[in-house]
């Protein structure tokens, strides 16, 4: 079974959905590779808007797969893993089409970073978002902290990162992280309603405005900051405090 699903609709929308509901859409190496392959397809297809989401209602994405990555112990190995997903996140941040993170469920850790990579974030009312990495004695490791600092006011971003707390949709609307809350059922229809005003424009107009938006971002500086962020996280990854925190999570959730 595919870890990431692709759905190309005739209305100009391509959906990319992480398909690991039982493990809250956590990202392992296979997810990273499939995401990258599907982005290549979406980049070339007829779509105007690419929507990134998760399967189910519980999670958009719970970040790195802690069961799989608990065996990564050294700084070097951590950096290799973090850079692999960092490249996917950076690709989304500078994607030539409109990208929307449709938060069907909670986004935690790297899941919040994935959401930060998209142009827009829209959410179901029940979801929460938490950059919880600091509670695991690491920092954002996929470069998403840099992107968060681009998306919302810098001090709001710093507060989200340092507090590592879970934010409600009310708080996320207030600090600008999400642009819209979807109350319509099914959720997917509400997402398409949000994308509607983009979809009725020509591809040329969308490409041009997205191009100007990317011009406005300082791509060189963002690339460098993401690289530094990944390197810092890799250093912290090696520390015993991080491994203890991961083991505590796995022990609690799996009763081991
Ligand atoms: C590695 C990169 C780094 C970064 O750069 O940011 C990271 O992403 S670090 C990872 C950060 N993520 C977390 O710490 C998420 C931990 N998960 C949770 O807090 C919660 O699971 C949830 C996402 C809030 C959902 O809560 P709930 O709906 O109550 O589900 P459960 O907690 O019962 O989980 C169900 C099931 O899924 C397993 N699970 C959840 N998240 C992960 C994960 N990230 N990695 C591995 N496994 C995960 C959890 O262990 C449960 O398994 P079972 O007990 O076997 O059913």
């Amino acid at each position: 079974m595919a870890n990431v699903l692709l759905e190309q609709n005739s209305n100009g929308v391509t959906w990319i959905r992480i398909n690991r509901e039982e493990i809250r859409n956590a990202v392992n190496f296979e997810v990273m590779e499939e995401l990258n392959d599907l982005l290549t397809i979406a980049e070339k297809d007829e779509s105007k808007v690419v929507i990134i989401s998760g399967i189910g209602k519980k999670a958009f994405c719970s970040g790195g797969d802690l069961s799989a990555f608990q065996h990564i112990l050294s700084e070097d190995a951590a950096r290799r893993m973090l850079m692999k997903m960092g490249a996917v996140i950076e690709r989304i941040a500078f994607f030539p089409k409109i990208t929307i993170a449709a938060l069907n469920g909670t986004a935690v850790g790297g899941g919040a970073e994935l959401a930060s990579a998209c142009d827009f974030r829209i959410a179901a009312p029940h979801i929460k978002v938490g950059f919880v990495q600091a509670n695991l004695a690491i920092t954002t490791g996929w470069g998403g902290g840099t992107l968060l600092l681009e998306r919302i006011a810098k001090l709001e971003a710093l507060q989200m990162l340092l507090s590592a707390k879970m934010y409600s949709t009310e708080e996320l609307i207030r600090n600008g992280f999400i642009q819209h809350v979807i109350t319509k059922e099914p959720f997917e229809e509400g997402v398409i309603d949000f994308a509607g005003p983009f979809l009725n424009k020509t591809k040329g107009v969308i490409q041009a405005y997205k191009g100007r938006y990317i011009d406005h971002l300082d791509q060189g500086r963002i690339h460098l900051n993401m690289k530094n962020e990944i390197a810092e996280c890799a250093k912290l990854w090696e520390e015993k405090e991080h491994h203890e925190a991961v083991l505590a999570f796995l022990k609690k959730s799996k009763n081991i």
Side-chain angles (χ1 to χ4, degrees), residues 48-141:
K48 295 173 178 171
V49 172
V50 176
I51 298 172
I52 297 182
S53 196
I55 293 290
K57 289 191 172 182
K58 290 193 170 150
F60 166 75
C61 171
S62 62
D65 182 337
L66 295 173
S67 302
F69 298 158
Q70 65 174 312
H71 307 295
I72 297 177
L73 299 177
S74 72
E75 179 181 339
D76 264 8
R79 193 188 302 103
R80 279 195 297 277
M81 179 278 286
L82 298 169
M83 279 176 69
K84 194 174 170 80
M85 187 62 187
V88 175
I89 297 257
E90 191 172 351
R91 185 173 181 193
I92 297 171
F94 296 102
F95 206 67
K97 297 182 176 185
I98 302 290
T99 53
I100 299 176
L103 300 171
N104 54 301
T106 288
V108 182
E113 297 185 58
L114 179 62
S116 304
C118 294
D119 302 324
F120 299 101
R121 283 152 293 286
I122 56 179
H126 67 281
I127 68 107
K128 287 193 180 342
V129 174
F131 287 84
V132 300
Q133 289 88 344
N135 294 334
L136 294 174
I138 53 170
T139 50
T140 43

Side-chain angles (χ1 to χ4, degrees), residues 20 22-24 26-27 62-73 135-136 237 241-256:
R20 303 185 81 206
E22 69 297 342
I23 192 172
R24 303 300 181 259
V27 173
S62 62
D65 182 337
L66 295 173
S67 302
F69 298 158
Q70 65 174 312
H71 307 295
I72 297 177
L73 299 177
N135 294 334
L136 294 174
W237 191 283
E241 287 86 348
H242 172 58
H243 300 298
E244 283 168 5
V246 169
L247 279 181
F249 168 76
L250 293 172
K251 210 168 168 184
K252 193 167 130 216
S253 79
K254 295 187 194 322
N255 265 335
I256 50 172

Side-chain angles (χ1 to χ4, degrees), residues 153-173:
K154 301 221 173 340
L155 282 175
E156 296 281 3
L158 186 62
Q159 196 173 2
M160 276 188 103
L161 295 168
L162 278 174
S163 70
K165 86 176 181 70
M166 301 298 286
Y167 281 61
S168 67
T169 48
E170 290 77 20
E171 292 171 302
L172 296 163
I173 284 279

